[in-house]
Amino acid sequence: MEHAIIIAASVIAAALVVGLAAFGAATGDGQVTAKAIESIARQPEAKNSIMVTMLISVGLIESIPIIAAVIAIVLIFTNPFLK
């Protein structure tokens, strides 16, 4: 019974971590995109530079939930609390 509780808690914790990381990344992507559009509206001649910076930033922000998912999967399958 104790074994099942530890596994269930691990799965719930992993789902919570991945969900919060995805929510944070979505919020960050929205803010970056909004500021980039605002910057392009103010300086249309700098569009290419702003777009490149925005795409790099969005890519870096999107790496966070991917890393969180990998860590969660590793911790589920190699759970240190199980014997």
Side-chain angles (χ1 to χ4, degrees), residues 6-58:
I6 292 173
I7 291 174
S10 298
V11 170
I12 291 170
L16 187 65
V17 166
V18 172
L20 289 174
F23 178 75
T27 304
D29 286 345
Q31 289 178 352
V32 167
T33 305
K35 294 295 181 178
I37 291 172
E38 199 175 294
S39 299
I40 291 170
R42 290 181 188 203
Q43 283 190 318
E45 66 274 1
K47 178 184 176 186
N48 292 335
S49 175
I50 294 170
M51 288 294 289
V52 167
T53 304
M54 182 197 74
L55 291 174
I56 291 172
S57 299
V58 167

